[in-house]
Amino acid sequence: MAARRLWLGLAWLLSLPVATGLPLALPGPRDEVLAAAMQRLREVFDIEELPPDVLPRKKPPQFMVDLFNKVADANGITRAPGLLEGDVVRSFEDRVGMDQYHFSFDISAMEKGEQMLKAEFRVFKLKRTRISRRADLKHFCKVEVYELLEGGNKPRKKHLIASRLLSLYTEGWEVFNVTQTVSKWVGNRSSNHGFLITTTHVFNNRIEHNLVKFAKSQGALQESRNALLVLFTNSNKRRSSSFVPSSTKPEMNPSRNDASRVPRETQMVESSESGLSRRPRAAAEPAAKSQVTACHRRELYVDFRAIGWSGWIIYPSGYNAFYCRGSCLFPLGESLNATNHATVQSIVHTLKLSQDVSTPCCVPDELKSLNLLYFDDKENVVLKNYKDMVATRCGCH
């Protein structure tokens, strides 16, 4: 029920008139309502402060784009439950450009109370192009990943995290599980000094740092292969449902003929099927019972470009939230997905057994989650799953 009220609060915001970009010329209370509505919209999407516009200047890591396409369709709707571990995936790019074997990540963007489930250190190993003629040089080397225990110049104290054999003459992504180490960093940010990779020639156990190299953010090609620290987390946030707008206040229900328009940030484009604005319920014209439309689902498109969020949301550019509209009059057919309670309520209303009982309400009966891929305020790419954002079915309740 709380999720449904939250969805209805978002649907009310989307029912505001389409903006033209002109300044708002409305009384103070209306301004306050719009400001509160946009603040509530940011809360729905768990955005405390709007990130700066970085698109198309900055490109997201291909791994995050591929992950989004795996868990969501082109509109951001979740393909199937359980495809994503947790509800947030955060990616942090390597911040050390010069040192070929030192990798550092700023994970301060993690939110308080966020529970980390898994951490992956992803590094792209480059192919060795020069083939040595030395008879003692084998085609494999040992690659070891260390946690640096202190900062400053070499030599550094370090702790071994992972080790494996790799071919000298192949290239590709190598993924190391660093969950335990990063969990320590989350608890104590000052202990984060990054990772160090060493390569050891297997034949004579002699360390040679030039045996293999790893991609760094130098040039357009290697930028797409820059090392990543990827965290899979749970946000552990219970989203509030306190924003339920009243339909009794005139400033919250502008008429269709109101010439005023809302600011650019509140532009939401509803499908042409249902028009650009909706008439308040109190102003609805009476109609014959035979003309009453039964409860059904209608389109409600949320355009991130229209509200000024396209500069930091990578995918999708918008999505169809849908909304429910229509009457729940007796008799309630199977297509109305009515609950037993709603059926009894409709009978009591029809027979006028109680003057205070109204007809059941047409509301979302089934909701799906939405996935957003976006840049946060520190230009890290985040994939986040939002529950109960798309109405997939309507019913009488």
Side-chain angles (χ1 to χ4, degrees), residues 31-336:
D31 291 332
E32 294 176 3
V33 169
L34 288 175
M38 290 312 303
Q39 174 61 32
R40 188 68 185 100
L41 186 63
R42 288 195 291 269
E43 291 176 5
V44 168
F45 285 98
D46 199 16
I47 304 294
E48 293 185 5
E49 296 292 336
L50 292 180
D53 291 347
V54 296
L55 293 170
R57 170 180 59 85
K58 192 171 176 62
K59 293 184 178 180
Q62 188 60 43
F63 169 77
M64 296 298 289
V65 174
D66 293 341
L67 185 60
F68 172 84
N69 291 328
K70 175 184 176 182
V71 302
D73 62 18
N75 298 312
I77 311 303
T78 301
R79 294 184 185 275
L83 292 177
L84 194 64
E85 188 166 357
D87 56 14
V88 182
V89 182
R90 299 185 181 273
S91 65
F92 304 91
E93 292 196 56
D94 173 38
R95 300 298 176 95
V96 180
M98 299 299 294
D99 192 329
Q100 188 68 38
Y101 300 97
H102 180 202
F103 301 85
S104 178
F105 304 93
D106 178 7
I107 62 172
S108 59
M110 276 195 68
E111 298 174 353
K112 186 177 181 180
E114 197 170 346
Q115 177 191 7
M116 198 188 70
L117 304 176
K118 184 174 69 172
E120 293 179 348
F121 174 40
R122 306 179 65 88
V123 61
F124 192 89
K125 175 190 163 296
L126 299 172
K127 180 169 56 176
R128 182 181 173 91
T129 55
R130 184 175 59 86
I131 300 178
S132 175
R133 296 181 179 179
R134 287 169 46 187
D136 62 341
L137 185 60
K138 303 299 181 182
H139 288 271
F140 293 89
C141 67
K142 183 167 68 172
V143 173
E144 295 175 316
V145 177
Y146 291 89
E147 174 199 2
L148 290 174
L149 301 178
E150 60 184 8
N153 298 324
K154 298 179 181 180
R156 301 183 180 121
K157 293 182 180 178
K158 55 187 185 292
H159 169 71
L160 180 64
I161 300 175
S163 176
R164 69 182 55 160
L165 291 177
L166 296 179
S167 170
L168 294 175
Y169 304 109
T170 60
E171 68 177 20
W173 287 99
E174 296 296 330
V175 182
F176 299 91
N177 190 323
V178 292
T179 304
Q180 186 174 356
T181 299
V182 179
S183 295
K184 182 179 68 174
W185 293 353
V186 172
N188 180 12
R189 300 289 172 86
S190 63
S191 65
N192 178 6
H193 301 292
F195 300 112
L196 181 71
I197 294 183
T198 64
T199 58
T200 306
H201 185 217
V202 177
F203 183 74
N204 55 16
N205 207 35
R206 181 158 50 96
I207 296 178
E208 297 185 51
H209 288 294
N210 60 348
L211 280 180
V212 295
K213 292 184 177 182
F214 300 92
K216 285 282 189 173
S217 56
Q218 299 172 356
L221 176 61
Q222 293 198 7
E223 182 178 356
S224 64
R225 298 174 174 179
N226 197 20
L228 290 175
L229 180 61
V230 181
L231 308 187
F232 298 81
T233 72
N234 271 330
S235 59
N236 288 332
K237 286 193 175 181
R238 296 179 63 87
R239 295 185 174 91
S240 169
S241 58
S242 60
F243 182 80
V244 181
S246 169
S247 61
T248 61
K249 297 181 180 180
E251 66 270 17
M252 299 179 71
N253 290 275
S255 67
R256 283 174 53 181
N257 296 325
D258 190 345
S260 303
R261 293 293 184 263
V262 298
R264 173 176 176 271
E265 192 182 29
T266 59
Q267 295 179 40
M268 292 285 188
V269 181
E270 191 175 324
S271 72
S272 58
E273 177 188 2
S274 54
L276 297 180
S277 63
R278 295 184 221 144
R279 188 173 302 193
R281 182 176 299 178
E285 298 178 1
K289 186 174 182 180
S290 59
Q291 295 177 326
V292 173
T293 303
C295 176
H296 65 289
R297 190 179 72 154
R298 302 188 73 172
E299 292 190 354
L300 183 64
Y301 187 75
V302 184
D303 189 344
F304 292 131
R305 180 178 290 103
I307 62 174
W309 288 7
S310 61
W312 52 273
I313 292 183
I314 305 165
Y315 297 114
S317 59
Y319 76 100
N320 208 331
F322 295 99
Y323 73 100
C324 298
R325 184 174 181 176
S327 300
C328 294
L329 298 178
F330 180 83
L332 299 179
E334 292 185 4
S335 62
L336 297 180

